[in-house]
Amino acid sequence: MGLRRFALVAVWLVCATPAFAEAARLAQQGPEAGRSLVVEHQYADINGIRMHYVTHGAGEPILFLHGFPEYWGIWKKQIEDLGKDHQVIAPDMRGYNLSSKPAGVEPYHIEHLVADIRALADHLKIKQFTLVAQDWGALVGWSFVLRHPEYVRRFVTINITHPALFNRDLRENAEQQQASQYMLLFRSPEAESFIMADDYAFGRQGMIDAARQLGAQISAEDEAEMIAAWKQPGATTGGLNYYRAAEIGPPDGQGSQGGSNLVDGLAPWQLQVYLPVLFIHGEMDPYLLPSGQVGLEQYVHDLTFRRIPDADHSVTLEKPALVTQFLREFMLEN
């Protein structure tokens, strides 16, 4: 999420009436609004936390990682379709929804987030899987691929580039620095009050309504479940601690050159990726700019791009059928 969208949210809150908002919500739900996906809810005691996850279907495994401010349900459409012939697993990452929310910033360092994914795979006795991720989940996904490529058969990233390239742009690219100013806010002590203000208006209008404006069909049930996930005690701080632990963002004017610590400690050879990678890009995303993709082929040696001109940041919500189509095509080809 970025500061430009925050301004749009503020205008929406001033101008909209409850009646108008309700009418718009009902008009955009679509014919499948009342359908409910049936999944199996499980918990895994792993890596010092209790991780909640859902599973659906059987067959070759696919693991989905959500971003901020999300939860496992961001992948419902993909779970429903791909679960017809795959074992689909979607966790609430640490700090979110029904998973543990350790206190403090250090437990959200990338080494712990990566260890969670490895421990979940071991818990499920899965030796190799397709990894699909977006937003913060994709930063964790890249970090997992760089450290444990033996677990991953294929990797799908939505909008997020290789962390070494993201670091480069956060340090050197003025447009990406401007687009990422929100990261400094998210790392600040004021972040929680901002996210939770006006009954989570940030997520309601900045994410849910923004996605609906681009064609997303989000049912009342799914909207309520998403908001309930945000309101889980400690979940807002848990999600924000990803930003704080990674020290991610543009230069802060106080001595930091920008970037993150996500690839700290990795040797140059560890930054190379040889497994098949699919990059799905919503070209309207104002926060993750295409400049970060320049040079990606120097790190990824089996790379496929799929671009969606009329998608924004929340591609999984906005274009679920197209995302699923791209996933199926990529898995068939690789």
Side-chain angles (χ1 to χ4, degrees), residues 136 139 163 165-173 176-187 242-253 255-262 287:
W136 249 109
L139 286 175
L165 295 177
F166 199 32
N167 282 350
R168 178 200 67 191
D169 270 23
L170 286 170
R171 292 168 180 157
E172 301 175 6
N173 185 291
Q176 185 60 66
Q177 289 172 349
Q178 182 59 35
S180 300
Q181 289 295 312
Y182 71 93
M183 293 180 176
L184 300 180
L185 170 63
F186 283 6
R187 288 163 52 190
Y242 282 54
Y243 293 89
R244 294 162 177 156
E247 300 175 352
I248 192 169
D252 61 6
S256 171
Q257 65 176 339
S260 74
N261 58 28
L262 295 177
Y287 317 117

Side-chain angles (χ1 to χ4, degrees), residues 261-302:
N261 58 28
L262 295 177
V263 295
D264 287 3
L266 294 180
W269 64 268
Q270 290 178 284
L271 300 179
Q272 299 295 313
V273 178
Y274 295 95
L275 56 88
V277 174
L278 170 62
F279 195 123
I280 299 175
H281 182 213
E283 294 186 310
M284 294 173 62
D285 191 335
Y287 317 117
L288 300 166
L289 305 185
S291 59
Q293 301 164 26
V294 176
L296 187 56
E297 68 281 352
Q298 298 175 20
Y299 290 99
V300 180
H301 301 274
D302 187 351

